[in-house]
Amino acid sequence: DTQGILPTPLKRGVGRPSRIRTREEGEQAKEKRAKTIRCTNCGNFGHNIRTCKGGLIKKDKASAEPMVNKSKRSID
């Protein structure tokens, strides 16, 4: 034979396929977006509802703010 031995065909690996695309040589890695988390209980930044230590909740904050009259007619 002049043909020689051929390599075995590639087989797909067992399990779920990889979710992360393999990048080509010289291609930069995907950058992460930086976003500060906000608590849905009190509305403050830096923690979430599970680690919230209390404080004013959104409803209490809204009622504590002074009411501003936004109507166009002024009271004489």
Side-chain angles (χ1 to χ4, degrees):
D1 285 346
T2 58
Q3 196 173 19
I5 300 173
L6 296 174
T8 58
L10 295 174
K11 291 185 179 180
R12 180 173 290 177
V14 179
R16 283 183 161 271
S18 174
R19 291 184 66 213
I20 302 170
R21 182 173 66 86
T22 52
R23 306 208 177 266
E24 293 181 12
E25 192 174 324
E27 189 177 358
Q28 290 184 348
K30 186 176 178 182
E31 295 180 11
K32 293 183 179 180
R33 283 187 240 151
K35 185 177 180 183
T36 316
I37 59 171
R38 185 178 210 162
C39 179
T40 54
N41 187 37
C42 65
N44 292 331
F45 290 101
H47 65 276
N48 57 22
I49 195 167
R50 289 183 71 182
T51 58
C52 186
K53 296 286 192 269
L56 291 177
I57 60 173
K58 282 185 184 177
K59 289 180 184 177
D60 295 337
K61 280 186 177 181
S63 63
E65 292 177 5
M67 296 214 27
V68 179
N69 188 3
K70 294 184 179 180
S71 70
K72 293 181 181 179
R73 289 189 268 162
S74 60
I75 301 171
D76 290 327

